Amino acid sequence: MRKLRVGIMGCTGLVGQQFIKMLSNHPYFEISCLTASSNSEGKKYNEVVNWMLKGEIPNIVKNLIIEKTSIETFIKNNIKIVFSALPSSVAKDIEIELRNNGLYIFSNASAHRMNEEIPIIIPEINPEHFELAEKQKNKYGGFVITNSNCTTSGFVMALKPILNLKLKSAIITTYQSISGAGRKGIPAMSIFGNVIPYIKDEEEKIERETKKILGQLVNGKIKEKEIEVIANCARVPVPFGHLECITLEFEREINESLFIKNLINFKGEPQKLRLPSAPERPIILINEKDRPQPIFDIHTEKGMAVVIGRIRRKNNKISFFLHVNNLVRGAAGTSVLNAEYALKKEIIEN
Ligand SMILES: NC(=O)c1ccc[n+]([C@@H]2O[C@H](COP(=O)([O-])OP(=O)(O)OC[C@H]3O[C@@H](n4cnc5c(N)ncnc54)[C@H](OP(=O)(O)O)[C@@H]3O)[C@@H](O)[C@H]2O)c1
């Protein structure tokens, strides 16, 4: 198979670095263009990046010159597929401009997540929402596909397999790592030895993105899932990985072993299609009494699986802890999986 040339916008940031790691030796895609802000433009990648991930900067990008984030850059480089790790304020206009010029954008930014023409896709959960990508393609030539906020991607992974057990409401309380705030993070004086019970807009994002992702397509539009979601988010002094404590309420008393069986057996389209970045199982259950923990569980299935433990039932409620790798499953990994799915399903041309 001929590898497709791809670009990465926001290549020096944490999500951009994770894209580079996942795409530097990818069977379908070849990194052919990197862009960032005017501060980095014209410089070699390894001269400007503050590499924060495990392992070396991949050789393939070390000497690549960072280019301007613009439509001209991608046209000149003959690139149709672009992965976006831009701040939302920057993504807002450029992603739409690229789409309207026939490019395919896989974005991590929140700017367009709630736009009704643009889906938020996690391919294990709602691959049918790719229909909205086809609709955009017909109308604009290209498309923007987003993936969810990092916390939401773990949360919905746990909800999807048990929705049919008559789920009524969900309360999620998070312990989110510093890397979730990007490369510049949080000032050490604010977070060291501390917990901050506020992350701007995060609770609202979890509540509305969950309903959109779990929604059904009706006459070409997403009808949001009716479910009560209450989110409480806190930043904790942990570098990578988000922990979530989730309590689910069902319409009637819940059978714990059925609940566990549904989680363990859950697989989606990426597993059936054996996509290169698909984990063998997207949900891993762990029995140790004090897990999951970010330091032990962050690399499970190369960061593509969520890890669930400490399941407890009381009448019609079930509580558990879940760990999600915010940069992989919560960001770049799901974008790459979306692109693999789109290619395999011929939503993007080879
Ligand atoms: N971190 C996470 O866990 C996570 C998870 C899910 C989604 N997201 C979302 O993913 C996006 C990237 O997050 P991040 O954590 O990687 O952020 P980050 O570490 O702050 O990186 C931001 C990137 O955007 C570039 N950039 C900044 N201003 C620009 C401009 N005016 N024009 C072009 N490029 C510009 C930066 O380039 P320079 O180096 O040149 O400044 C850098 O490459 C954000 O929208 C974020 O909300 C993040």
Side-chain angles (χ1 to χ4, degrees):
M1 183 181 180
R2 181 179 65 97
K3 286 197 190 187
L4 298 179
R5 294 166 64 75
V6 301
I8 301 171
M9 304 194 285
C11 65
T12 50
L14 288 182
V15 177
Q17 293 178 30
Q18 190 63 56
F19 270 131
I20 286 177
K21 199 166 167 178
M22 294 193 74
L23 293 168
S24 59
N25 193 17
H26 194 281
Y28 303 170
F29 307 117
E30 174 181 50
I31 302 173
S32 305
C33 172
L34 298 177
T35 80
S37 79
S38 52
N39 297 333
S40 311
E41 219 179 293
K43 297 177 187 147
K44 281 188 186 167
Y45 189 70
N46 65 346
E47 284 169 6
V48 286
V49 72
N50 178 12
W51 188 256
M52 299 290 290
L53 304 185
K54 215 169 136 199
E56 301 267 307
I57 303 175
N59 280 333
I60 186 169
V61 295
K62 272 187 180 162
N63 292 315
L64 272 188
I65 304 289
I66 297 175
E67 298 186 58
K68 185 174 177 180
T69 302
S70 70
I71 178 69
E72 291 77 20
T73 298
F74 296 112
I75 291 175
K76 181 185 78 188
N77 282 291
N78 193 21
I79 282 172
K80 275 279 265 198
I81 302 168
V82 177
F83 293 95
S84 170
L86 291 173
S88 210
S89 56
V90 184
K92 194 165 173 279
D93 292 337
I94 183 76
E95 289 182 355
I96 295 297
E97 191 189 356
L98 297 181
R99 175 193 73 177
N100 295 351
N101 278 277
L103 274 71
Y104 306 134
I105 315 304
F106 294 90
S107 174
N108 279 274
S110 62
H112 303 297
R113 284 186 199 143
M114 295 314 292
N115 177 325
E116 66 171 28
E117 289 188 308
I118 295 177
I120 310 174
I121 302 185
I122 298 174
E124 279 91 347
I125 297 176
N126 59 344
E128 65 281 4
H129 291 193
F130 268 102
E131 189 183 312
L132 294 186
E134 302 269 25
K135 276 180 86 175
Q136 287 182 74
K137 231 174 112 175
N138 292 337
K139 192 165 167 189
Y140 304 106
F143 61 68
V144 178
I145 289 176
T146 64
N147 43 278
S148 68
N149 158 285
C150 41
T151 322
T152 310
S153 45
F155 182 46
V156 289
M157 194 67 89
L159 296 188
K160 176 73 179 180
I162 49 82
L163 275 183
N164 61 354
L165 303 180
K166 300 228 181 298
L167 178 64
K168 198 168 136 194
S169 69
I171 300 176
I172 167 173
T173 303
T174 69
Y175 309 76
Q176 299 183 220
S177 63
I178 306 165
S179 59
R183 181 190 44 176
K184 296 199 177 115
I186 317 275
M189 280 300 284
S190 306
I191 194 71
F192 186 70
N194 197 15
V195 174
I196 303 171
Y198 173 70
I199 302 175
K200 190 174 180 302
D201 298 334
E202 193 80 353
E203 290 155 357
E204 294 80 358
K205 281 182 193 166
I206 296 174
E207 293 174 16
R208 48 175 201 246
E209 290 176 20
T210 298
K211 292 176 190 178
K212 179 167 177 178
I213 295 167
L214 297 176
Q216 276 191 322
L217 271 175
V218 181
N219 299 328
K221 286 196 172 162
I222 294 172
K223 184 172 175 293
E224 290 188 357
K225 175 85 186 160
E226 280 177 33
I227 173 185
E228 185 182 62
V229 176
I230 299 174
N232 313 285
C233 297
R235 189 76 72 193
V236 294
V238 165
F240 297 100
H242 294 349
L243 198 64
E244 305 175 1
C245 177
I246 298 168
T247 299
L248 305 179
E249 185 189 12
F250 295 86
E251 281 173 22
R252 51 173 181 252
E253 189 141 331
I254 177 90
N255 177 325
E256 190 175 329
S257 18
L258 179 63
F259 176 86
I260 290 175
K261 201 168 124 204
N262 281 16
L263 291 182
I264 290 179
N265 292 337
F266 179 65
K267 286 190 177 178
E269 287 288 302
Q271 285 69 35
K272 287 182 198 140
L273 295 168
R274 305 188 78 81
L275 298 178
S277 303
E280 198 168 310
R281 282 180 296 144
I283 299 175
I284 305 287
L285 258 67
I286 195 156
N287 287 322
E288 278 86 338
K289 64 178 186 307
D290 58 356
R291 297 274 285 281
Q293 292 183 25
I295 54 169
F296 298 126
D297 298 308
I298 185 111
H299 297 301
T300 306
E301 293 268 9
K302 297 186 178 153
M304 285 299 280
V306 300
V307 180
I308 291 181
R310 303 217 45 237
I311 298 174
R312 288 147 292 143
R313 181 189 74 91
K314 213 173 233 181
N315 304 320
N316 65 335
K317 296 198 179 91
I318 287 220
S319 285
F320 55 92
F321 277 86
L322 176 151
H323 179 272
V324 59
N325 183 320
N326 55 300
L327 292 179
V328 183
R329 177 52 85 172
T334 297
S335 267
V336 172
L337 200 55
N338 275 335
E340 292 170 359
Y341 182 88
L343 186 61
K344 198 77 167 185
K345 289 290 196 176
E346 298 178 356
I347 298 162
I348 51 184
E349 315 67 37
N350 188 354

